[in-house]
Amino acid sequence: MARLHDKESNIELITIYEISKILSSSLDLHKTIREVLNVLSSHLKMYRGMVSLVQDNGDLQVVGASGLSDEEIGRGRFRIGEGVTGKIMKSGMPVVIPDIAKEPLFLNRTGSRNLEAGQVISFVGVPVKVGRETIGVISVDREQAGQRPNFQGDTRFLSMVANLIGQTVRLHQSVANERQQLMMEKSRLQKELHGKYNLDNVIGQSKIMQEVFAEVHQAAPGKSTVLLRGESGTGKEVIARSIHYLSSRRDKPFIKVNCAALSETLLESELFGHEKGSFTGATQERKGRFELANGGTLFLDEIGDISPGFQTKLLRVLQEREFERVGGNKPIKVDIRLITATNRNLEEAVAKGEFRADLYYRINVVSIFLPPLRERREDIPLLVDYFLQKFNLENQKRIGITPEALKIMLDCYWPGNVRELENCVERTMTMTRGSAIREVDLPCQQNKCFSLSLRSYGNPGRPIIPIVAERAEEHAPEPEPDFQGQEPSSFASERERLVWAMEQCGWVQAKAARLLKLTSRQMGYALQKHKIEIKRF
């Protein structure tokens, strides 16, 4: 008898060891629970083992079983207090049923036992706990074959297994919680990263625009004066607004002034304001843009076009942050963040004496260059799609664009940049009769390209040649310079033709050479010969 007891103890010890190895071998909870119950069945003849855990809705659901089909496992759902399993969950105490056929509380919810076969089947169930909290139930069947089972020993052994399962479930919950926190943190960082490298109302996924976005986010929180540089139509005002709304002054006014649209006298009155009676028509006191922008941001567009006389007045205001209204003598102090913009080459203007050097250094604290559209062609499909959606929404239409038409837009030079692209899309959509913009609908395919017409205005004999940025490099042999027959002889001189080509290509020598069907060496020789100075932007 003692030998039999020792043998059973040895089997239980081996079983516990096997179970502990299984539970620590994988993070797949359902798999490990199923393997644990299989070990109980094979080592200790504990059949139809089930582990039920509390779900988010408060019910108990079988999450692992041995000797049950998937259909039977799916039926294993209990409410707290329902049946024997629900009772164990509610009380947190073990339950032993010597004969389940005689127990009215036993529901046989899974339908896995044949209660009419006459065989005596015992049920042993114990709670699965984490600390003092009951989180589930583990249960097994004992089939009596003459000898009465040792229910006390089974309860004690199952309690040890339940304790191991509880620790494993707690570990899995901890891992799941940490994973959820990591996913939330990842999502937060992705949103933060997305915000850092994107600006409202500014479309751009190209590398060069991402660099601009990064510079904007870096400069926006500070108080430094910002100079936005770039060609007309690149979106300098939109970037200026983004800097304002990303700064601590976002709740204060954003005031803009186009310096090129006003004469020196009007600009002075517009910026500084005037006193009543200071000049004819000044019937009342008026605050200037500097006062209106107090606490916020003042955006001076086309700063490079102001007159030398007004440059001196503006310099004093930027140095002292105070001014007098026109016709007044009372100093007015303001707290503003200044953002300026220009499409001019200020360094060249300073060298020629057209722009004050001290004012240049005052406004050129943080300089951000906005690239032309031709240098970020990968953004063109996004911009076209945005303008299509905008136009369709405003006009209640559903017009798309064919891949062939989009390809032509990708190859265009776009001297007017994003503004020109928007106008081109809107004009083409307006004049398109079908449901999609085709390549034949584009103005450049009908010799009606507005940007090209502007450059040819005043010289009717100048040919209308679509401006396309070639992507292939020139590898042909380089013969001696010979301009005969390269273009129609509609230009007054070779020099005029060279200047025209350089202007068409933004003063990029290699592109101008390809436009004129010349090699790079021929182009360089011709520019040197005619003493044409290359403009730098």
Side-chain angles (χ1 to χ4, degrees), residues 360-376:
Y360 167 77
Y361 292 121
R362 180 65 63 177
I363 64 174
N364 191 23
V365 180
V366 176
S367 184
I368 298 177
F369 177 76
L370 303 185
L373 187 57
R374 59 184 172 275
E375 293 183 8
R376 56 183 188 105

Side-chain angles (χ1 to χ4, degrees), residues 205-477:
Q205 293 183 355
S206 59
K207 181 181 178 182
I208 193 169
M209 284 304 293
Q210 290 294 305
E211 292 173 356
V212 171
F213 295 161
E215 290 177 353
V216 169
H217 279 272
Q218 184 72 22
K223 299 180 180 179
S224 301
T225 300
V226 178
L227 174 60
L228 301 177
R229 313 190 65 169
E231 298 178 5
S232 178
T234 51
K236 294 186 286 293
E237 182 181 337
V238 180
I239 294 295
R241 287 185 180 275
S242 298
I243 293 174
H244 171 72
Y245 289 118
L246 289 170
S247 72
S248 58
R249 299 171 181 262
R250 65 179 65 89
D251 297 325
K252 300 296 182 179
F254 175 83
I255 305 296
K256 64 173 182 175
V257 179
N258 190 322
C259 300
L262 302 171
S263 65
E264 180 178 340
T265 303
L266 290 176
L267 184 59
E268 182 178 3
S269 175
E270 188 72 21
L271 288 179
F272 304 146
H274 60 255
E275 299 289 350
K276 181 180 179 180
S278 58
F279 55 84
T280 303
T283 58
Q284 60 184 357
E285 175 188 285
R286 182 176 182 273
K287 290 184 177 181
R289 300 299 180 95
F290 272 96
E291 285 185 80
L292 295 175
N294 190 30
T297 303
L298 178 63
F299 174 51
L300 299 181
D301 198 5
E302 306 298 348
I303 189 72
D305 293 327
I306 61 177
S307 65
F310 191 74
Q311 291 177 29
T312 304
K313 298 176 183 178
L314 182 60
L315 178 63
R316 177 178 174 271
V317 178
L318 298 184
Q319 287 175 338
E320 306 296 335
R321 285 297 194 268
E322 70 174 27
F323 60 93
E324 293 91 27
R325 293 177 184 159
V326 176
N329 53 17
K330 178 183 176 182
I332 300 173
K333 282 190 171 290
V334 290
D335 172 26
I336 62 167
R337 171 73 172 292
L338 184 67
I339 301 177
T340 62
T342 184
N343 59 5
R344 292 192 61 191
N345 187 333
L346 291 184
E347 291 78 12
E348 182 179 308
V350 170
K352 292 180 179 180
E354 299 173 355
F355 199 86
R356 291 181 62 111
D358 45 4
L359 179 58
Y360 167 77
Y361 292 121
R362 180 65 63 177
I363 64 174
N364 191 23
V365 180
V366 176
S367 184
I368 298 177
F369 177 76
L370 303 185
L373 187 57
R374 59 184 172 275
E375 293 183 8
R376 56 183 188 105
R377 295 183 181 276
E378 53 266 51
D379 292 332
I380 291 178
L382 299 175
L383 290 164
V384 170
D385 183 64
Y386 172 79
F387 295 139
L388 286 172
Q389 292 183 27
K390 178 183 175 183
F391 183 88
N392 284 328
L393 183 64
E394 292 175 351
N395 297 275
Q396 297 181 349
K397 292 187 176 182
R398 293 184 179 180
I399 298 178
I401 186 169
T402 64
E404 294 78 14
L406 184 59
K407 176 64 168 58
I408 292 177
M409 287 187 165
L410 280 168
D411 287 338
C412 286
Y413 187 70
W414 301 116
N417 297 295
V418 179
R419 187 182 296 122
E420 182 188 357
L421 175 63
E422 180 179 10
N423 291 339
C424 179
V425 171
E426 183 173 351
R427 177 185 182 278
T428 308
M429 292 182 72
T430 302
M431 303 305 294
T432 296
R433 296 180 179 179
S435 60
I437 296 174
R438 300 166 300 165
E439 52 186 326
V440 295
D441 298 323
L442 297 174
C444 60
Q445 301 301 300
Q446 305 172 17
N447 280 344
K448 296 179 180 179
C449 180
F450 291 160
S451 62
L452 201 56
S453 299
L454 287 174
R455 291 183 179 273
S456 302
Y457 184 78
N459 188 354
R462 182 171 291 182
I464 303 296
I465 303 173
I467 307 172
V468 177
E470 299 290 344
R471 291 183 167 85
E473 291 296 332
E474 183 70 58
H475 295 292

Side-chain angles (χ1 to χ4, degrees), residues 480-511:
E480 291 302 313
D482 179 13
F483 292 95
Q484 299 300 322
Q486 297 295 335
E487 287 286 333
S489 57
S490 56
F491 296 100
S493 64
E494 289 181 353
R495 191 180 195 284
E496 181 184 349
R497 180 176 61 174
L498 292 168
V499 172
W500 171 80
M502 293 295 285
E503 287 178 349
Q504 296 292 308
C505 298
W507 290 88
V508 179
Q509 184 174 329
K511 292 181 180 179

Side-chain angles (χ1 to χ4, degrees), residues 21-29 31-32 168 172:
K21 286 201 306 182
I22 292 171
L23 292 176
S24 61
S25 64
S26 172
L27 289 176
D28 187 341
L29 185 62
K31 175 185 176 182
T32 54
T168 303
H172 280 258

